[in-house]
Amino acid sequence: MTSTWLITGATSGFGHMVAERALAGGAHVIAVGRRSDRLAELADHAQQGRVTTIPLDITAPGAEQVLADAVRTAGGLDVLVNNAGYGLFGPVEQIDADNARAIFDTNVLANLAVLRAALPALRASRGRVVQISSVNGQSAWASSGLYSASKAAVELASEALAYELAHTGVKVTIVEPGLFATEFATSLQVVLPHEVYAPTVGKFLTDFSALPATAFGDAEKVVDAITAVATMEEPPLRLAVGADAVGRIRESLRSRLAELDRWESFSTGPVGQTV
């Protein structure tokens, strides 16, 4: 039986690559993205009837209903790859309310809207939810504050969702890529720091812009990971992809555990006790 995949952000990066991989495997793909031309290219290279293209800004009013209708028309859903999002980097203080609202609208609220549209059909099929996060969903650094916050929100919502859906057979996996060669690195929005943040945010952005091409992994590895967890009987809740992601997340977790241990007596001892 042909499986049906709903993939958001299917016009570029991981989303486009996963759509191509799913189509090559014989799936029917509901491909969602803002660029009609890229969706048309995807359909042109696929077997007739295998692609349903939906030009859509998932933050738009009514987007949830559009997606729910598409799933209903397709006759069900087996895999959701909730991938759409964008990067915003700069000092926390300097990111204004409009930009902060925009990244949460796209990376968090629209992600939730897609889930609401897809979950009834996924419960019926005992399907798979693949939430695309980032190493920044587990670890922040100077300049990543708002982006990290948006991905951390997705991660914790997804963790709760996995518990809530456990009895239904629906499996949830959060994929956390490190640095990979996609259009993301060239399309992200950057707020340049004021002088006070030059030693931290400024240095990070300068160092990042000087990274050689070899610092960015082969994006096919992320596609391999996404397609693998989408069909595993017992997939992981979280999957870091890339040596840099594994290393950074491990370092962050060790640091947090060390800090927890160091201050445990302060938290659990008598009031006023010092370490």
Side-chain angles (χ1 to χ4, degrees), residues 111-176:
N111 182 287
L112 296 174
V114 174
L115 285 172
R116 289 192 296 268
L119 281 172
L122 289 169
R123 285 196 299 273
S125 67
R126 298 172 67 89
R128 299 290 180 268
V129 175
V130 183
Q131 296 277 74
I132 306 303
S133 180
S134 164
V135 60
N136 286 123
Q138 286 284 318
S139 176
W141 49 66
S143 81
S144 78
L146 272 292
Y147 178 68
S148 289
S150 71
K151 288 301 187 180
V154 169
E155 294 228 1
L156 289 178
S158 300
E159 183 174 338
L161 182 67
Y163 296 141
E164 293 165 1
L165 291 171
H167 69 290
T168 70
V170 178
K171 306 294 185 182
V172 178
T173 297
I174 306 157
V175 176
E176 302 161 333

Side-chain angles (χ1 to χ4, degrees), residues 243-257:
D244 60 324
V246 171
R248 178 76 187 191
I249 292 171
R250 180 177 284 124
E251 177 186 355
S252 175
L253 291 172
R254 283 175 174 166
S255 175
R256 290 168 64 185
L257 284 171

